[in-house]
Amino acid sequence: MSDEEEFLEKLPTDLIFRLPPTFDDVADERRHRKERLTAALRVFGKFGFEEGVAGHVTARDPEHTDHFWVNPFGMSFKHIRVSDLILVNHEGKVVEGRYPVNEAAFAIHSQVHQARPDVVAAAHSHSTYGRAISALGQRLEPITQDVCAFYQDHGLFDDYTGVVTDLEEGKRIAAALGGHKAVILRNHGLLTVGDTVDAAAWWFITMERSCQVQLLAKAAGQVVPIGHDNAVLTHEQIGNDLVGWINYQPLYDQITREQPDLFE
């Protein structure tokens, strides 16, 4: 039995408890993914994860699984609406939408989605604390409960060769990600994945915060790590994509109430 199955068995049966929806109609599922993708981009904008035109979040199309939806090049995360999203095919061509694709978004995300058929969404942006950790070439350490979601579950792409515009570089990043939920790109930032948009977005948000905590704690003094066995246990408890999806729901509720125009 998987960690997610064990989690589901423990849920109350007589209380309201939200779970990821399932779909019989591919058009409904596509609309759902596009809405969640737009909401995630708005959340990233609210949290200040933008750095000029850098940064991209993608969602695999449920029908054309070698295509993905992504934010258009040069548009602020804070302004994106569902109708602004673009659909990109396996050759990097925009097959639906009015805007161009970020070349780096295609080079990285196309290879991640190709290497990981289990992944629905991937998130990458040049967030402040993620870049700071990446500049140190370090992985996250098990020093808090929250960061244990990434214990033995994130990679390090220990190289930097400029802006990623080459598919071979994207393949190397995908290889560094491996079967994990996240990878730190040295001198670049963070990339996270999930079996839903919500999970991928949550892993990015909490990973960015974990980078911040690690930097603060180490600047303040000697950290007290969580032991291996307890870190493994905690990862089993909080490190699966269903828990990531659940953790993200309050943020989805907040952004959709504050900014309902995202659905346009």
Side-chain angles (χ1 to χ4, degrees), residues 60 108-119 170-179:
R60 190 191 301 272
I108 296 172
H109 289 251
S110 66
Q111 300 311 302
V112 168
H113 282 287
Q114 183 174 319
R116 292 283 300 276
D118 59 309
V119 163
K171 288 178 182 178
R172 294 173 63 214
I173 290 172
L177 171 67

Side-chain angles (χ1 to χ4, degrees), residues 215-229:
L215 291 164
L216 288 170
K218 287 196 162 188
Q222 183 71 36
V223 299
V224 179
I226 297 170
H228 170 74
D229 290 345

Side-chain angles (χ1 to χ4, degrees), residues 16-236:
I16 295 173
F17 196 98
R18 285 186 292 178
L19 292 171
T22 57
F23 299 90
D24 296 321
D25 182 83
V26 71
D28 291 341
E29 186 170 10
R30 178 179 293 115
R31 176 70 190 189
H32 174 80
R33 289 189 185 182
K34 291 172 69 177
E35 289 178 353
R36 308 306 274 211
L37 176 56
T38 307
L41 290 161
R42 291 288 187 102
V43 170
F44 278 28
K46 182 177 180 178
F47 287 171
F49 293 164
E50 290 185 286
E51 186 73 15
V53 299
H56 12 88
V57 186
T58 55
R60 190 191 301 272
D61 187 80
E63 180 179 11
H64 308 290
T65 56
D66 60 350
H67 293 43
F68 58 79
W69 295 92
V70 63
N71 50 298
F73 179 71
M75 181 177 291
S76 171
F77 290 172
K78 296 177 181 178
H79 297 159
I80 292 173
R81 302 166 299 172
V82 170
S83 59
D84 295 320
L85 296 176
I86 57 175
L87 181 63
V88 180
N89 70 10
H90 65 285
E91 297 176 340
K93 295 179 180 178
V94 176
V95 296
E96 189 171 332
R98 301 167 292 168
Y99 302 96
V101 63
N102 185 317
E103 190 175 358
F106 177 70
I108 296 172
H109 289 251
S110 66
Q111 300 311 302
V112 168
H113 282 287
Q114 183 174 319
R116 292 283 300 276
D118 59 309
V119 163
V120 166
H124 166 66
S125 193
H126 296 183
S127 54
T128 300
Y129 299 104
R131 280 184 292 170
I133 286 287
S134 78
L136 300 173
Q138 296 180 356
R139 286 182 171 87
L140 289 171
E141 300 175 16
I143 58 174
T144 69
Q145 174 175 295
D146 302 294
V147 77
C148 286
F150 300 96
Y151 187 64
Q152 298 183 329
D153 197 11
H154 69 293
L156 174 64
F157 180 63
D158 195 13
D159 194 10
Y160 181 79
T161 58
V163 176
V164 181
T165 58
D166 183 357
L167 290 181
E168 290 304 314
E169 188 84 346
K171 288 178 182 178
R172 294 173 63 214
I173 290 172
L177 171 67
H180 301 313
K181 64 162 61 76
V183 60
I184 296 171
L185 311 177
R186 201 193 76 199
N187 306 111
H188 190 171
L190 311 176
L191 184 142
T192 60
V193 298
D195 65 6
T196 60
V197 173
D198 299 41
W202 173 253
W203 297 137
F204 190 95
I205 292 163
T206 193
M207 191 177 197
E208 167 71 1
R209 290 170 171 168
S210 292
C211 291
Q212 181 181 8
V213 169
Q214 182 163 309
L215 291 164
L216 288 170
K218 287 196 162 188
Q222 183 71 36
V223 299
V224 179
I226 297 170
H228 170 74
D229 290 345
N230 285 325
V232 169
L233 173 62
T234 307
H235 177 271
E236 292 173 353

Side-chain angles (χ1 to χ4, degrees), residues 225-263:
I226 297 170
H228 170 74
D229 290 345
N230 285 325
V232 169
L233 173 62
T234 307
H235 177 271
E236 292 173 353
Q237 294 169 328
I238 67 171
N240 66 71
D241 277 351
L242 178 57
V243 174
W245 185 92
I246 291 167
N247 270 304
Y248 179 75
Q249 297 318 294
L251 294 175
Y252 179 80
D253 292 342
Q254 290 171 30
I255 204 69
T256 54
R257 291 187 185 187
E258 292 172 3
Q259 303 178 27
D261 64 301
L262 68 87
F263 291 112

